[in-house]
Amino acid sequence: MGNAAIADYGLLADGRSAALVDRRGSIDWWCPERFDAPSVFCRLLDSNGGHWSIQPTDDFETRREYLSDSLVLRTVFTTAYGEASVTDGLVLEPGSRGHLIGRRSPGVLVRVVEGGSGTVAMAMSYYPRLEYGSRTAYLVWRDGTLVATAGPTTLTMTTPVPLTCSDVEATARFTVGPGERKVFVLAHRPTYHEGSPAGLDARDPLGDTVEGWRSWANLHSYPGCYPELVRQNALVLQGLTYQPSGAVVAAVTTSLPERIGGDCNYDYRYAWLRDFSLTLRALWVAACPDEANRLFGWVASAVGQVGDEPVPIMFGVEGERDLTERRIETLRGYADSLPVRVGNEAWRQRQLDVLGEVLDAAWQLRDYLDPMPPEVRDLLRSLADQAATSWRDPDAGMWESRDADRHYLSSKVLCWAALDRAILFGDRLGDAADLARWAAARDEARKTILRDGWNAEVGAYTGAFGSDKLDASVLVMPIVGILPATDERMRATIALIEERLSDGGLLRRWDTDPATFTLCSFWLVRCLVLAGERDRAAAMFERIAGTANDLGLFAEQFDPATGAHLGNFPQAFSHIGLVIAAWDLTAAPDAVLNEGES
């Protein structure tokens, strides 16, 4: 089997880890211990990387959907001889409900095969390859189960059908007819830990998990435009959350390329402060802000004392700081796109925009931070202080440039936003001297941004001071309120970005970007709303939303020429963009703008 298209994958999640299953019924990615742990299946990145497939032996067509308000996926296979389904889910801790789901998930993957009409011949292939395909697990029958062990990891499979086993792979052929059900259970545990996962209901092994997801979804009520899309995307963001800590991963994969055959292949299974902050805003929109104190508490704990050092921009899901990057030489990469990376050297970068992202999210959720925990107050004060002293400095920018640091406009704009929001908090954050110091820095930053960010020859605000390159990140200017979208220069910038960076109605980050960037496309929607062009914004919103796959999932980028999804998947940024843009289409333009003004 060659690589499935990125858009062919569906997401399974349990609040600690994630798996990807393609429309052919093959689970090609699973890191069972946690999002950023080594994989046990990674055919996503190499045809020999390990998989677990269940599919008809005859030619088939598929349709699939999530069971309502859950991340349990049902795929229906139709052949010339009948119809059968496979329902896949990562199991939540039995009985967990509401905001407690996923905090103690057992690391169990369940696949339920059910017969519909006729008789369908099925084939199963189970080939675990642990630690990113570098270790072959030997299969042994033990106490009626199939055990695969390699070093620290053990997988235990219970199966209702006879298996044919080699040392390293198990296969099976079986049939299902109307009403027949066969349940396969694969459990992960550390090799040297005793114990086994809690028992499952044999009659409905995924029923409790579905109810757990629904209990979370039912806590929230979104009153705005596109309610089904917002509800679905909020659920995906919940699936990208490491529930024990509250960290939100940027994506569940590593090394899916921005360009097929290119080398911009990075590990996104970590928690960026930027993504975290934007996710909080999206969950506020989707009426899910209940855990703001807990999540901001995680950020305060992970960041620690800031001092004069650059603010850390990303962490492991439990707050780990050192994410040193290495290459996995045993994998050929998605569609031969090398290198395959684990870890991400961006952890060493200075990215000043995160200061504003965190403070802006805190301001939006201010009612849920009252009273404000002392550690959160200390964090926000420190971020404001750093914005006041660092806004003049060059940095790597929000696109994480790996060459020279520059004076990126969006970074300086978000430093302005950090100071602006700190001032809005008033004495909840600082005393009179603090507020005066922040106000002076804010006013100087704004004056400099509006003067040095404008390129008269281009006729627009450009990506960096002194640059003639357009960059879609400058669309954050009206979004955070440093200028209204109706300002003459801002309106010219929006129009030029749309003219030169759009492709099929979607936006690239810059003119050499290999494909359109979904978050930037939603930013343009928001800017059009702020400029009073609601109808055009709504049409653009629907065009972008229509690029999701059949399950409503987005990668980082989309190629309008081929319809291909590119980059890591599913991408938190993209889902965040949809939720917030839907709210902006709901709210009055003045209300959206005034929310961030001092």
Side-chain angles (χ1 to χ4, degrees):
M1 292 177 67
N3 287 108
I6 293 170
D8 280 347
Y9 285 99
L11 170 70
L12 311 176
D14 63 5
R16 297 176 65 93
S17 66
L20 296 180
V21 54
D22 75 8
R23 63 173 61 253
R24 300 172 295 188
S26 181
I27 294 176
D28 291 348
W29 184 257
W30 188 29
C31 303
E33 191 170 358
R34 64 184 218 180
F35 290 111
D36 55 352
S39 63
V40 299
F41 304 128
C42 63
R43 181 156 67 178
L44 180 71
L45 297 176
D46 191 305
S47 60
N48 196 41
H51 65 272
W52 182 18
S53 69
I54 301 176
Q55 61 185 223
T57 59
D58 298 299
D59 291 342
F60 58 85
E61 296 180 349
T62 62
R63 65 182 187 275
R64 58 187 182 165
E65 63 182 358
Y66 285 113
L67 302 188
S68 176
D69 283 333
S70 81
L71 292 178
V72 173
L73 178 63
R74 175 167 292 156
T75 303
V76 179
F77 299 96
T78 302
T79 75
Y81 305 98
E83 194 169 87
S85 67
V86 178
T87 303
D88 294 315
L90 287 171
V91 174
L92 300 175
E93 181 185 14
S96 64
R97 295 291 184 268
H99 294 296
L100 298 178
I101 65 169
R103 298 194 185 183
R104 296 181 178 85
S105 294
V108 175
L109 178 54
V110 171
R111 313 197 73 183
V112 180
V113 184
E114 296 175 284
S117 61
T119 299
V120 180
M122 305 290 291
M124 188 199 80
S125 171
Y126 171 63
Y127 179 45
R129 293 269 291 167
L130 282 60
E131 296 187 39
Y132 304 111
S134 67
R135 304 191 68 164
T136 301
Y138 288 94
L139 307 183
V140 178
W141 279 101
R142 186 181 303 156
D143 299 326
T145 60
L146 183 64
V147 179
T149 297
T153 301
T154 294
L155 299 172
T156 303
M157 177 186 283
T158 58
T159 167
V161 301
L163 302 179
T164 300
C165 293
S166 68
D167 287 341
V168 298
E169 183 177 11
T171 60
R173 296 292 182 102
F174 61 96
T175 61
V176 286
E180 287 187 83
R181 169 182 287 196
K182 299 187 185 298
V183 177
F184 299 81
V185 178
L186 183 62
H188 162 269
R189 67 174 175 83
T191 298
Y192 301 106
H193 289 201
E194 297 295 330
S196 58
L200 300 173
D201 184 342
R203 296 168 301 176
D204 190 10
L206 289 171
D208 188 71
T209 293
V210 171
E211 289 306 311
W213 283 115
R214 288 174 178 167
S215 72
W216 181 86
N218 289 336
L219 290 174
H220 313 112
S221 177
Y222 164 75
C225 297
Y226 308 102
E228 292 304 316
L229 279 176
V230 168
R231 191 176 180 91
Q232 177 188 45
N233 280 265
L235 188 64
V236 172
L237 292 174
Q238 186 72 358
L240 297 177
T241 302
Y242 182 74
Q243 294 298 335
S245 68
V248 180
V249 295
V252 305
T253 58
T254 180
S255 302
L256 292 183
E258 295 179 11
R259 185 196 305 267
I260 299 299
D263 63 357
C264 292
N265 319 320
Y266 302 114
D267 192 348
Y268 277 14
R269 298 170 301 156
Y270 304 110
W272 272 256
L273 289 188
R274 180 186 305 111
D275 297 59
F276 164 85
S277 303
L278 291 173
T279 300
L280 275 177
R281 295 188 65 195
L283 292 178
W284 176 85
V285 166
C288 333
D290 308 68
E291 295 183 303
N293 269 315
R294 181 175 83 94
L295 299 184
F296 270 106
W298 174 81
V299 171
S301 174
V303 173
Q305 295 293 326
V306 174
D308 296 328
E309 295 298 314
V311 173
I313 62 146
M314 60 184 294
F315 305 89
V317 294
E318 293 184 349
E320 298 86 351
R321 181 73 180 96
D322 187 342
L323 305 178
T324 298
E325 186 173 291
R326 63 188 175 94
R327 298 188 177 196
I328 304 297
E329 304 294 346
T330 54
L331 297 175
R332 294 182 299 179
Y334 180 87
D336 296 322
S337 302
L338 289 172
V340 173
R341 294 179 168 98
V342 170
N344 195 311
E345 284 303 299
W347 75 275
R348 302 179 190 273
Q349 292 184 347
R350 177 194 291 267
Q351 297 177 19
L352 295 173
D353 67 287
V354 300
L355 309 175
E357 300 288 7
V358 174
L359 270 156
D360 187 55
W363 177 248
Q364 185 154 29
L365 288 154
R366 58 194 178 276
D367 291 342
Y368 300 88
L369 292 172
D370 191 9
M372 186 181 292
E375 66 274 15
V376 175
R377 179 177 182 271
D378 289 345
L379 170 68
L380 298 181
R381 282 173 53 95
S382 296
L383 297 182
D385 284 340
Q386 189 152 127
T389 58
S390 300
W391 70 265
R392 303 174 185 83
D393 296 337
D395 73 331
M398 68 168 60
W399 307 135
E400 302 186 339
S401 172
R402 292 197 172 195
D403 55 11
D405 284 358
R406 296 179 177 83
H407 291 280
Y408 288 104
L409 189 65
S410 56
S411 296
K412 297 187 186 303
V413 167
L414 281 157
C415 283
W416 173 89
L419 295 162
D420 185 69
R421 290 0 174 220
I423 294 163
L424 289 174
F425 271 114
D427 59 10
R428 290 178 64 185
L429 279 194
D431 58 25
D434 292 323
L435 296 175
R437 179 165 45 85
W438 294 339
R442 179 197 61 180
D443 295 345
E444 185 183 356
R446 185 177 188 274
K447 180 180 178 180
T448 303
I449 289 165
L450 299 187
R451 181 190 67 225
D452 296 345
W454 176 258
N455 187 308
E457 292 183 5
V458 176
Y461 290 103
T462 53
F465 286 179
S467 171
D468 61 358
K469 301 297 184 184
L470 292 174
D471 186 328
S473 68
V474 305
L475 294 177
V476 302
M477 294 179 72
I479 289 171
V480 301
I482 194 170
L483 273 183
T486 52
D487 173 87
E488 181 180 353
R489 287 185 169 186
M490 197 69 245
R491 188 182 287 278
T493 299
I494 295 168
L496 199 61
I497 285 175
E498 185 175 7
E499 175 188 336
R500 296 188 183 176
L501 300 185
S502 72
D503 188 344
L506 309 175
L507 273 195
R508 301 176 186 269
R509 286 173 294 182
W510 48 77
D511 59 7
T512 59
D513 215 12
T516 62
F517 202 87
T518 301
L519 177 64
C520 296
S521 302
F522 282 123
W523 280 346
L524 181 56
V525 170
R526 300 182 66 194
C527 288
L528 293 177
V529 172
L530 292 168
E533 299 183 56
R534 181 184 299 274
D535 290 345
R536 197 156 72 87
M540 182 172 291
F541 176 94
E542 291 168 13
R543 163 78 175 109
I544 304 164
T547 66
N549 76 356
D550 58 314
L551 297 172
L553 302 176
F554 294 98
E556 183 178 43
Q557 299 189 62
F558 179 80
D559 186 347
T562 64
H565 289 226
L566 295 169
N568 284 302
F569 177 88
Q571 178 79 11
F573 253 4
S574 302
H575 292 273
I576 290 164
L578 181 145
V579 171
I580 298 176
W583 178 249
D584 282 5
L585 284 163
T586 300
D590 287 345
V592 175
L593 183 60
N594 290 338
E595 179 185 81
E597 289 186 332
S598 57

